[in-house]
Amino acid sequence: MAFNDKRIVVTGVSSGVGQATAKALQEAGAYVIGLDVKPSHMYCNQFILCDLSSQASIDAAVGEIKQPIDGLANIAGVPGSLPAQLVFRVNFLGMRHLTCQLLPKLADRASVVNIASTAATSWRNRKKLSENLLTLNDWDSCLAEFEKLGMSGTATYDFTKELVVLYTMLASSSQRHRGVRVNSLSPGAVHTPLLQIFYETMGDELLKSLKTQAGGRDAYPYEIADAILLMLDAKGYWINGTDLIVDGGAEVLMNLEGLATPPLPIP
Ligand code: NAI
């Protein structure tokens, strides 16, 4: 994959998957415009301090980004151990607002990748609820409607990832006339600082079983980054409006249950 002369915006570049993606993109020749609430200058050609929980901070960051942009990777996210309102703002409202503001700056045939999670795989079960929120384009009214649901932080994490999957489909449908693709990518467990918090909030049992089903280990950040590059790359042009599960095959074993070959260690 070659990203020479491509200008790609990446959020969450100070840690984990975002940092690995910025590194992989730079190595492939891209000009990386990194956004994060924590300062970091590693693997970024331009770094912009941006708090995705704040509309004003996002608007200021967008003002510093010159067009054209060839790709956008929305990777920043926070866990369900934080207050529900903050999780909703960062994982959904901030991601959506940044994307909406950047759409006019995206070149034709640009690609957007939004990071969801395998925690979002049951998005169909709550589709009506999600659709209700997705129709509220205004930040404050969407937040007010969400608050009426009274969800815990942990439940909000899963719900925001379901919203990411559905928002991705909506955005892809509105942008396809100019060849701009919008996809989501759902990682299983990944070795990052976030994973330790997941063990505390989601419990050992689920994550250990995911690890077993993925062949005895969690993903390394660079493995998720490589899949993100695959979706950003122009060669993936016909991949659009879809959610790609990147979990080492764990989900398949869950779906097949007794029919599957039992998990064995992978190299
Ligand atoms: P991480 O904690 O290593 O990195 C998250 C990044 O987001 C950090 O650099 C952090 O400063 C930034 N961030 C947090 N709040 C922000 C805000 N208000 N404004 C701007 N930036 C902010 O986490 P990791 O694991 O790299 O997560 C990346 C994405 O992958 C997240 O969206 C997460 O939900 C998702 N994910 C992670 C999994 C895992 O097992 N690590 C599994 C499935 C999905």
Side-chain angles (χ1 to χ4, degrees):
M1 287 175 283
F3 285 85
N4 295 324
D5 304 323
K6 299 289 180 200
R7 292 164 47 79
I8 315 284
V9 176
V10 183
T11 73
V13 284
S14 298
S15 175
V17 175
Q19 189 175 80
T21 303
K23 179 173 185 285
L25 282 167
Q26 267 203 342
E27 285 169 359
Y31 181 95
V32 176
I33 303 158
L35 269 60
D36 205 295
V37 72
K38 286 190 206 137
S40 165
H41 295 280
M42 279 171 84
Y43 314 118
C44 293
N45 300 83
Q46 181 188 1
F47 176 80
I48 305 169
L49 203 60
C50 174
D51 179 357
L52 286 167
S53 71
S54 150
Q55 239 181 321
S57 178
I58 295 168
D59 292 342
V62 169
E64 288 183 52
I65 299 173
K66 291 200 183 84
Q67 61 189 84
I69 304 160
D70 303 291
L72 165 63
N74 282 309
I75 300 175
V78 290
S81 53
L82 296 179
Q85 208 219 61
L86 182 62
V87 178
F88 189 74
R89 291 164 87 103
V90 176
N91 291 5
F92 174 62
L93 284 178
M95 179 279 307
R96 180 174 74 166
H97 188 66
L98 177 70
T99 307
C100 288
Q101 299 306 304
L102 285 181
L103 282 177
K105 295 192 176 194
L106 288 177
D108 288 353
R109 297 175 77 95
S111 171
V112 179
V113 180
N114 300 321
I115 300 306
S117 165
T118 48
T121 44
S122 346
W123 61 267
R124 285 178 185 84
N125 301 344
R126 278 198 282 206
K127 193 158 167 274
K128 279 275 159 276
L129 188 62
S130 304
E131 279 172 355
N132 183 34
L133 288 176
L134 284 167
T135 55
L136 300 169
N137 292 318
D138 167 68
W139 180 293
D140 291 332
S141 23
C142 189
L143 185 59
E145 198 62 25
F146 162 73
E147 283 182 322
K148 286 185 198 160
L149 301 174
M151 276 188 194
S152 67
T154 322
T156 302
Y157 180 82
D158 294 358
F159 185 50
T160 53
K161 294 303 185 180
E162 292 169 23
L163 287 168
V164 169
V165 170
L166 275 164
Y167 169 69
T168 297
M169 293 177 194
L170 265 183
S172 91
S173 71
S174 77
Q175 296 304 309
R176 65 177 54 174
H177 64 282
R178 59 191 191 106
V180 171
R181 302 179 292 120
V182 189
N183 291 291
S184 58
L185 186 150
S186 286
V190 195
H191 275 293
T192 70
L194 209 60
L195 187 57
Q196 188 49 43
I197 304 171
F198 287 158
Y199 268 97
E200 286 152 23
T201 54
M202 293 179 181
D204 276 14
E205 203 180 316
L206 172 71
L207 287 160
K208 280 187 179 156
S209 109
L210 254 184
K211 187 196 265 192
T212 308
Q213 281 156 336
R217 71 167 174 85
D218 299 315
Y220 297 111
Y222 75 85
E223 292 172 312
I224 306 302
D226 285 347
I228 293 171
L229 263 66
L230 210 64
M231 296 180 98
L232 286 173
D233 190 80
K235 286 205 163 62
Y237 185 66
W238 211 238
I239 307 170
N240 194 13
T242 196
D243 181 60
L244 179 68
I245 294 176
V246 184
D247 68 349
E251 180 80 12
V252 169
L253 288 198
M254 277 186 238
N255 291 337
L256 284 174
E257 294 174 344
L259 289 175
T261 303
L264 295 167
I266 50 161

